Amino acid sequence: MSYEIIGITVLWIFLYGYLIVASVDFGAGFFAYYAKVTKKDHIINQLISRYLSPVWEVTNVFFVFFFVGIVGFFPDSAYYYGTALLVPGSIAIILLAIRGSFYAFENYGSKQSNVYMFLYGATGLLIPASLSTALTLSEGGFIMEKDGVVSLKYLELFTSPYSWSVVFLAIVSVLFISATFLTFYAARANDTEALKLVRKYALFWATPTIIASLTTFIALGEHNRRHYSNMMDLWWVFGLSVGFFMIALALIYIGRYYGLAFISVMLQFFFAFFGYGASHLPYILDPYITIYEGATHESTGIALIVVFIAGLFLLIPSLIFLMKLFLFDADYVKGKK
Amino acid sequence: MEMDPVLMSRLLTALTLGFHIIFATLGVGVPLMISIAEFIGIKKKDPHYLMLARRWARGFVITVAIGVVTGTAIGLQLSLLWPNFMQIAGNVISLPLFMEVFAFFFEAIFLGIYLYTWDRFKKPYTHWFLSLPVIIGGGLSAVFITTVNAFMNTPEGFTTGANGFATINPIDAMLNPATPTKVFHVLSSAYVTVAAILATIAAFSLLKKKTSEYHKKALKLTVTLTFIFALLTALAGDFSAKFLAEHQPEKLAAAEWHFETEEGADLILFGWLNDDNVPAGVIRLPGLLSFLAHGDFTSEVTGLEEFPEEERPPLWIHYMFDLMVAIGMFLAAVSLLYIIISKVKKWNEHNKWLLRLLVLMGPLAMLAIEFGWIFAEEGRQPWILRGYMTVEEAATSSPHVGLMFILFLGLYTVLGVLCVVILRRMFRNSPVEEELEKKYPAIEKGDNK
């Protein structure tokens, strides 16, 4: 395998990792706010903050990894995306900053403020919406280079059905992933009240998720024929994704094996995400950057891969340690520690 | 209103970094201080030190959060504001950037564990051990990111061909000539600054008539550490000057208003430049610049005249350099004064005037960090990648940077204000005396149980 393919695979794994852990976090923000508005916050907010407080920085780092990595492996992406995304990128940074500081200020800084709670919930939906736009742009047609000047065509972006379907898909997926995780976590904590509530959320958001997936699929067909037909060639990957979705839904419906249900959801998104990514290749930005022409020098690429592998040896044991302490320590989950 | 994208990009980067380095410095230094305090606490079985570690850690949670979000911001802004720079330099510096993220990831994981496991282990040393990866992770982040800045000053580790780079050796690039002295200087100054800030807090509490053992111990520990790290920083500063004299002479020459190459060059402190660019009103230390540059009072120091006018850094960095050095001296002197006074039985190291001087240390140290950083960046002008790419060539062409500047200014103002408000509330709502009594009831009753 060429180092370009390894590089993009590594990055895609990080982005997938971010997709899962960040969705849990973003969705939880929305649910926490929703529960507060509907006066059910006493049931689930304790549960949410117990899980999220220790891990939010780790979540954030997945994202940083991705964008540092993509600039490293494919420096041209800094030029095109960097120039075009100044405004949306800056807005995303500000949203992330508001959200990141929420944890510190709200959880450690005593009394709850309604404004911050609202921002916490709102950013939970706005951040995935704005970040998903980068994927929309990668399909081509929105970023233009003319006479050496790169610009973003806002009008096309805001009037494109594909662009909106991606935003919709991002938001409902976040809520679905998060709700299934919280269901598992509540079951683990033997918190029946919370379980009842979050399980209802999970069942509710399942339908929009699958509908949004289909809509996006169709809209992509209108927008980028090449990518669409590549996806069709990988139909079985998407078939697996739908299969795992059905399994997850069935398990949550019968109300057992919530852990397995969450793993199925992870697999559902794993196959969809990698199917999407594989069929996107060789383009990183259609038509300007491909993984072959846009890649960095081999020496840098290999150095990055070596560091990545060495880093994993360091991080995976540490992450397992973290999870053992907070995620799988039954007493901690139940709030006894 | 359309503003010059280059100027605005510089201002926005300066804004983000100027704000971020406050929290980055704390992020590197505080874990070491927490760890030292906890270690002494366990070793001496002294709850005061354990409480120090606990309270510092609690405050650290807030500052580290701001460090993370502003760090994310600058990470993205590198590409958003300097796309042409990243397109070229990304080929080389992505390796240390990638490693920096790993180091930070490592730090974040163990910080999360450390903060939430104070009473979860049977042996107290187990918890203390968790502080080590946090210190190492924080320190390594600083090392890796500093290699990037070093690379911008003395780029090496590549050869150029017709279309950009012909070959790249990213490890050589990381180990460029500027790296050793810069890394040493950044780490030691982060440690001295954090020690000084914590000393400020302790001295301030004592001034407010909170004359408890807790604050006295805190002061003694932090001022002693300030002194040690101030000496190390002075040493690092000396090495840095010698590095500059050899590899980046225009930066040293601009900082010292040293226009003509000469032997036995004088060190010039403060003053101003008259209309003919001649320094006036300065304090002259004969031969000291030669000594600073080469360790020899008679050696030759390259002057600014040897560089084309358009490649000279701005001359006002002289003040940044002098202020940084002056504050460094102040820190060493005041902390030494405290140590001497506390050794003499008859003297009271907690007298009002000494405490007032000690209170000044923290804020001044942080200012020195800012001055030193401005000196380092401005001293590289007009280059972003010395000898290869100017700042002007590197910036984005987007006309919206000015608006973004205003947005970020708002964001950092809110974050800064909230940080102070929350920290004050956090510590005011649980005074240390109350907390000590609750956590270690034996201490107030005289240890007779």
Side-chain angles (χ1 to χ4, degrees), chain B residues 32-42 49-50 52-53 56 221:
Chain B
L32 180 67
M33 307 303 150
I34 295 174
S35 179
I36 292 174
E38 191 185 5
F39 183 77
I40 298 176
I42 297 172
Y49 288 100
L50 292 175
L52 261 185
W56 287 345
L221 174 65

Side-chain angles (χ1 to χ4, degrees), chain A residues 53 57-58 60-61 65 72 75-76 79 82-83 86 90 93 104 108-110 296-297 299-300 311 315 325 329 337, chain B residues 61-62 64-65 68 72-73 75 79 83-84 86-87 91 94-95 102 104-105 113 116 120 165-166 168 398 404 418 425:
Chain A
S53 302
E57 278 156 17
V58 176
N60 191 59
V61 172
F65 253 124
D76 281 354
Y79 173 66
T83 313
L86 176 71
S90 297
I93 298 172
Y108 312 111
S110 64
T296 182
H297 278 247
S299 52
T300 303
L315 291 182
L325 282 172
D329 182 325
K337 273 185 183 170
Chain B
V61 170
I62 305 293
V64 96
V68 171
T72 310
S79 293
N84 304 317
M86 286 307 281
Q87 189 183 21
N91 282 298
S94 57
L95 184 70
F102 262 116
F104 176 73
F105 203 175
I113 298 173
Y116 287 86
R120 277 177 76 176
F165 296 113
I168 296 176
S398 169
M404 295 303 115
L418 275 177
R425 196 194 288 161

Side-chain angles (χ1 to χ4, degrees), chain A residues 261-331:
Chain A
F262 181 65
I263 290 173
S264 303
V265 170
M266 281 174 69
L267 287 172
Q268 172 202 340
F269 281 90
F270 179 86
F271 284 110
F273 195 65
F274 276 81
Y276 168 84
S279 53
H280 199 299
L281 293 178
Y283 290 103
I284 288 180
L285 173 60
D286 202 345
Y288 298 107
I289 315 173
T290 67
I291 59 166
Y292 299 108
E293 282 161 37
T296 182
H297 278 247
E298 195 168 351
S299 52
T300 303
I302 289 172
L304 286 172
I305 292 168
V306 170
V307 167
F308 169 75
I309 293 169
L312 279 189
F313 276 106
L314 193 68
L315 291 182
I316 289 178
S318 327
L319 265 176
I320 290 174
F321 187 43
L322 179 79
M323 284 166 63
K324 249 180 83 173
L325 282 172
F326 297 111
L327 208 48
F328 302 115
D329 182 325
D331 284 343

Side-chain angles (χ1 to χ4, degrees), chain B residues 38-39 42-44 122-130:
Chain B
E38 191 185 5
F39 183 77
I42 297 172
K43 184 128 192 158
K44 289 192 177 169
K122 283 198 188 77
K123 282 191 206 151
Y125 277 116
T126 314
H127 183 257
W128 174 76
F129 268 115
L130 291 171

Side-chain angles (χ1 to χ4, degrees), chain B residues 52 56 194-224 226 330 334-335 338 349-363:
Chain B
L52 261 185
W56 287 345
V194 170
I197 284 174
L198 296 173
T200 293
I201 296 172
F204 187 76
S205 306
L206 287 169
L207 263 183
K208 290 254 150 182
K209 301 267 182 285
K210 289 180 185 158
T211 46
S212 70
E213 274 306 296
Y214 171 84
H215 294 296
K216 286 180 182 166
K217 284 177 185 169
L219 190 69
K220 190 172 171 211
L221 174 65
T222 52
V223 177
T224 311
T226 305
F330 174 83
V334 173
S335 52
Y338 167 90
E349 73 269 30
H350 301 118
N351 83 67
K352 239 197 253 165
W353 286 103
L354 183 59
L355 286 177
R356 280 178 190 160
L357 282 178
L358 290 167
V359 165
L360 286 178
M361 290 202 313

Side-chain angles (χ1 to χ4, degrees), chain A residues 16-269:
Chain A
Y16 169 73
Y18 183 65
L19 175 99
I20 298 294
V21 289
S23 289
V24 170
D25 176 302
F26 293 145
F30 175 78
F31 291 133
Y33 181 68
Y34 180 75
K36 196 177 169 81
V37 172
T38 54
K39 305 244 173 336
K40 286 179 180 154
D41 44 337
H42 58 285
I43 304 177
I44 60 165
N45 284 14
Q46 176 72 12
L47 186 81
I48 289 175
S49 79
R50 280 193 82 72
Y51 164 72
L52 291 176
S53 302
V55 299
W56 78 270
E57 278 156 17
V58 176
T59 309
N60 191 59
V61 172
F62 268 99
F63 176 56
V64 180
F65 253 124
F66 175 74
F67 72 70
V68 169
I70 195 144
V71 170
F73 277 110
F74 309 103
D76 281 354
S77 53
Y79 173 66
Y80 286 98
Y81 285 109
T83 313
L85 288 178
L86 176 71
V87 176
S90 297
I91 291 171
I93 298 172
I94 290 173
L95 293 172
L96 281 168
I98 292 172
R99 191 176 180 81
S101 57
F102 166 86
Y103 285 108
F105 295 164
E106 191 68 24
N107 290 350
Y108 312 111
S110 64
K111 71 173 183 248
Q112 298 232 320
S113 114
N114 278 328
V115 180
Y116 236 130
M117 205 63 196
F118 169 74
L119 286 175
Y120 180 53
T123 52
L125 300 186
L126 290 174
I127 295 171
S130 67
L131 293 183
S132 67
T133 308
L135 288 179
T136 307
L137 299 180
S138 73
E139 297 295 341
F142 303 112
I143 293 180
M144 287 294 155
E145 186 182 32
K146 216 175 152 192
D147 307 323
V149 177
V150 176
S151 60
L152 179 59
K153 293 170 137 181
Y154 285 100
L155 185 67
E156 271 85 345
L157 183 65
F158 284 115
T159 53
S160 151
Y162 175 64
S163 152
W164 288 106
S165 67
V166 170
V167 166
F168 180 58
L169 175 62
I171 290 175
V172 294
S173 307
V174 157
L175 293 174
F176 180 58
I177 294 172
S178 186
T180 51
F181 176 81
L182 289 173
T183 307
F184 154 69
Y185 203 61
R188 177 99 205 165
N190 283 338
D191 186 341
T192 14
E193 281 284 294
L195 176 63
K196 237 169 82 185
L197 191 64
V198 288
R199 179 175 165 270
K200 217 167 67 190
Y201 293 158
L203 289 173
F204 177 83
W205 289 105
T207 322
T209 303
I210 209 72
I211 292 174
S213 308
L214 285 174
T215 336
T216 311
F217 205 55
I218 296 163
L220 180 66
E222 298 294 310
H223 187 80
N224 186 334
R225 275 272 143 208
R226 180 198 58 81
H227 190 176
Y228 181 75
S229 64
N230 282 351
M231 275 170 99
M232 281 310 196
D233 294 341
L234 287 173
W235 62 271
W236 56 275
V237 178
F238 298 95
L240 278 173
S241 172
V242 175
F244 280 110
F245 168 76
M246 303 300 248
I247 295 174
L249 195 59
L251 289 174
I252 294 170
Y253 188 76
I254 62 167
R256 291 169 69 184
Y257 308 116
Y258 292 118
L260 208 58
F262 181 65
I263 290 173
S264 303
V265 170
M266 281 174 69
L267 287 172
Q268 172 202 340
F269 281 90

Side-chain angles (χ1 to χ4, degrees), chain B residues 120-382:
Chain B
R120 277 177 76 176
F121 300 106
K122 283 198 188 77
K123 282 191 206 151
Y125 277 116
T126 314
H127 183 257
W128 174 76
F129 268 115
L130 291 171
S131 70
L132 300 183
V134 183
I135 300 173
I136 294 169
L140 281 180
S141 307
V143 170
F144 293 136
I145 213 69
T146 305
T147 66
V148 174
N149 189 279
F151 176 78
M152 291 161 73
N153 282 282
T154 53
E156 273 190 14
F158 57 86
T159 56
T160 48
N163 340 302
F165 296 113
T167 60
I168 296 176
N169 183 338
I171 304 286
D172 281 357
M174 282 174 71
L175 301 177
N176 65 75
T179 293
T181 49
K182 261 188 193 285
V183 164
F184 183 21
H185 199 29
V186 163
L187 283 180
S188 60
S189 58
Y191 293 138
V192 70
T193 301
V194 170
I197 284 174
L198 296 173
T200 293
I201 296 172
F204 187 76
S205 306
L206 287 169
L207 263 183
K208 290 254 150 182
K209 301 267 182 285
K210 289 180 185 158
T211 46
S212 70
E213 274 306 296
Y214 171 84
H215 294 296
K216 286 180 182 166
K217 284 177 185 169
L219 190 69
K220 190 172 171 211
L221 174 65
T222 52
V223 177
T224 311
L225 289 170
T226 305
F227 180 67
I228 295 169
F229 288 118
L231 290 188
L232 276 176
T233 308
L235 193 64
D238 185 59
F239 287 165
S240 301
K242 293 187 170 42
F243 153 78
L244 284 180
E246 193 175 338
H247 294 278
Q248 220 176 348
E250 76 278 14
K251 198 189 242 183
L252 186 67
E256 276 303 322
W257 289 348
H258 181 61
F259 296 103
E260 287 154 28
T261 303
E262 61 179 4
E263 289 174 8
D266 300 346
L267 189 76
I268 292 176
L269 288 178
F270 297 101
W272 61 88
L273 285 172
N274 65 20
D275 295 340
D276 306 320
N277 253 5
V278 177
V282 297
I283 307 166
R284 247 174 215 284
L285 303 172
L288 209 64
L289 180 58
S290 285
F291 183 74
L292 189 66
H294 302 291
D296 173 1
F297 285 99
T298 56
S299 63
E300 186 181 272
V301 182
T302 314
L304 216 45
E305 60 179 1
E306 297 193 20
F307 299 88
E309 207 148 321
E310 68 278 5
E311 287 182 15
R312 292 182 196 166
L315 291 171
W316 58 265
I317 60 172
H318 175 65
Y319 297 110
M320 297 293 114
F321 181 75
D322 282 3
L323 285 168
M324 170 185 78
V325 176
I327 292 173
M329 299 290 171
F330 174 83
L331 294 180
V334 173
S335 52
L336 179 65
L337 188 67
Y338 167 90
I339 293 170
I340 293 171
I341 294 182
S342 65
K343 292 283 177 230
V344 179
K345 281 246 165 68
K346 265 190 277 176
W347 294 342
N348 173 19
E349 73 269 30
H350 301 118
N351 83 67
K352 239 197 253 165
W353 286 103
L354 183 59
L355 286 177
R356 280 178 190 160
L357 282 178
L358 290 167
V359 165
L360 286 178
M361 290 202 313
L364 283 177
M366 197 51 97
L367 275 178
I369 292 273
E370 297 282 353
F371 294 146
W373 166 69
I374 294 171
F375 165 60
E377 298 298 307
E378 284 294 327
R380 197 190 57 241
Q381 300 302 317

